[in-house]
Amino acid sequence: MANLGFIGLGVMGSEMVDRLLAKGHTVTGYNRTRSKAERLIAKGMKFAESPREVAEAADVVLSMVTNGLALKGIAEGPNGFLAGLSAGKILVDISTVGPDLSREIAEKVRALGADMLDAPVSGSVITLQQGNLSVMVGGRVETFEKVKPILLDIGPKVTLVGGNGLALSMKIASNLSLAVQMLAFSEGVLLAEKSGIKREVAVDVLTHSAIASPMIKYRGPFVLQQPEEAWFDVNMMQKDMLLALDLGRQLNVPLPTTAVTNEFLTAARAMNWAKLDFAVIFDVLAKLSGIDTGVGR
């Protein structure tokens, strides 16, 4: 059992803390909005008033925030986790941010005598709840071995892919396919629908066909009904697509399907659908196809 800290109690972060508490770990958590932490406090999580307090209280600190700006926000300043870290402690950042920023923060962490891993995850809330989440890790082998048992309590597949920042490169390479697959799936559904096949039937056939990846199986039905709360909204998905396009430019790797799909996310934002799950790119394509699906189906 470990003495853990967790910064960022959003949809995924709170589910991770839930699992860690269930495994018997001590967890000190922080979230900018305390109300989101209440159910975890009721289950035994200690609440801290700042990222610094979390870092001071825990031996291993996990963080999961929305983007690079948010990561810098919880890292820097008098109340940031850098001010609370000390020799021997470990920071595991689960956020999806640019590899260069992650390496920059890792250098600052190591200057304090602590160490840092980037450990983004692949999967959704459902994947996490089912215990099927996979974790990619970048950093030193010896630090990875120390925290691997903790990460295995979050998900059953934990892989060290290389040095600091490389897990983020792997995550970005993986995430671009989510939206690309969703757009291709939407094309198939709409082609079937405008041929005279009911949308529900098309979705049922396609989600049980050779093209049905795990993501398509759980997100495909969203073209029939958006979830009440977005699992991964348009803004979050576009953030990852832009990270991919930026990395592609740096490495001279053309990303044509990523670029096209990114434009559909921009269109979704223009239609005021930024806070809906990114599966709403189906509705964007439907509109272009002469079908008005309505908002909040």
Side-chain angles (χ1 to χ4, degrees):
M1 301 304 103
N3 177 27
L4 306 178
F6 207 106
I7 303 168
L9 304 174
V11 176
M12 289 288 282
S14 60
E15 288 291 339
M16 289 180 187
V17 170
D18 209 344
R19 290 184 67 83
L20 292 168
L21 289 170
K23 293 291 184 177
H25 299 292
T26 298
V27 182
T28 300
Y30 167 79
N31 196 67
R32 187 173 56 183
T33 307
R34 183 186 171 118
S35 59
K36 292 184 178 180
E38 292 298 339
R39 75 177 184 88
L40 296 171
I41 293 170
K43 291 185 176 185
M45 186 192 79
K46 302 173 185 177
F47 189 80
E49 296 297 330
S50 69
R52 176 176 181 164
E53 284 189 21
V54 173
E56 289 173 340
D59 298 320
V60 177
V61 179
L62 299 94
S63 57
M64 190 175 193
V65 292
T66 54
N67 53 37
L69 186 62
L71 179 58
K72 291 183 75 172
I74 63 169
E76 299 173 346
N79 291 314
F81 62 68
L82 288 171
L85 290 174
S86 55
K89 295 195 175 191
I90 298 172
L91 174 74
V92 181
D93 184 48
I94 307 174
S95 316
T96 302
V97 300
D100 289 344
L101 173 61
S102 183
R103 292 187 187 103
E104 177 187 322
I105 293 176
E107 288 182 9
K108 294 178 180 178
V109 169
R110 288 186 180 137
L112 300 169
D115 201 6
M116 175 176 164
L117 301 171
D118 46 290
V121 298
S122 178
S124 66
V125 177
I126 293 297
T127 315
L128 176 57
Q129 290 172 341
Q130 292 173 342
N132 295 323
L133 203 70
S134 64
V135 187
M136 298 154 272
V137 184
R140 293 172 173 167
V141 176
E142 57 270 25
T143 305
F144 168 72
E145 293 297 338
K146 289 177 183 176
V147 303
K148 185 178 179 181
I150 297 166
L151 296 177
L152 284 169
D153 283 340
I154 293 174
K157 177 66 174 173
V158 179
T159 306
L160 180 66
V161 301
N164 281 89
L166 291 183
L168 286 163
S169 293
M170 190 73 256
K171 171 64 182 293
I172 292 166
S174 171
N175 260 27
L176 67 86
S177 290
L178 299 179
V180 170
Q181 284 183 58
M182 194 65 218
L183 182 58
F185 175 78
S186 299
E187 290 176 357
V189 171
L190 286 164
L191 197 63
E193 183 174 346
K194 294 207 76 175
S195 296
I197 300 167
K198 289 183 178 180
R199 188 181 304 166
E200 311 86 75
V201 173
V203 169
D204 181 56
V205 171
L206 290 172
T207 54
H208 291 86
S209 72
I211 63 98
S213 67
M215 192 281 295
I216 290 298
K217 285 181 179 178
Y218 65 69
R219 189 169 259 106
F222 288 5
V223 307
L224 303 175
Q225 180 70 47
Q226 274 270 333
E228 289 185 11
E229 183 178 1
W231 288 6
F232 201 63
D233 70 29
V234 169
N235 282 338
M236 291 292 288
M237 187 73 251
Q238 187 159 55
K239 181 259 297 183
D240 287 0
M241 299 295 268
L242 292 173
L243 286 172
L245 290 168
D246 184 55
L247 196 57
R249 281 191 291 272
Q250 289 180 37
L251 300 174
N252 296 325
V253 178
L255 302 174
T257 59
T258 302
V260 169
T261 307
N262 183 58
E263 294 305 312
F264 277 81
L265 294 168
T266 297
R269 290 174 55 241
M271 295 173 182
N272 295 317
W273 293 338
K275 293 300 181 182
L276 296 181
D277 190 89
F278 76 84
V280 79
I281 59 176
F282 169 82
D283 300 77
V284 176
L285 187 61
K287 203 169 187 69
L288 293 174
S289 305
I291 299 174
D292 189 355
T293 60
V295 177
R297 299 182 313 282

